[in-house]
Structures are given as C-alpha cells and as structure tokens.
Amino acid sequence: MGRGRAKAKQTKVARQLKYYTPDTDLSALERELHGSSQRDSDNESPSADEDEYDDYGKWVAGER
C-alpha cells in the first residue's frame, strides 16, 4: 500500500521531462559551433598524447 502517491509523483516528473522545452539561445549555439571549428583547424599539429600510441599497429602484429 502507499505506492499510489509515489507512482503519481514519478508520472508527474516523467511528463515534465518529456514535454519540457527549454529556451534555446541559438546565437550562442552558433557562436560555439563556429568557434570550435576555427580552434580545431589551428591545432592540427599532433600532441604528445597522440604520439604515445603510434606503435599500436606493430604491437598488434607482434613486432614489438
């Protein structure tokens, strides 16, 4: 007994999440998307983290 109130609360929360439409700042989204592509093209040089696994193909083939 007593599950009715808990289930009603869960249903209410699920309905709020399903139909909630937040206000989207499209201009901020556009700035973020355009800004990230410009920064990615500037960082085309390989970093130290990428060089760490360059010998993975040799390791898989057994040429350690």
Side-chain angles (χ1 to χ4, degrees), residues 1 5 8 10-13 20-23 33-36 41-42 46 51-55 59 61 64:
M1 296 187 88
R5 183 175 289 181
Q10 289 175 347
T11 303
K12 178 183 176 185
V13 170
Y20 174 68
T21 55
D23 295 332
L33 291 174
H34 289 304
S36 65
S41 64
D42 292 342
D51 294 337
E52 183 178 352
Y53 299 106
D54 282 346
D55 60 345
W59 182 81
R64 301 175 199 175

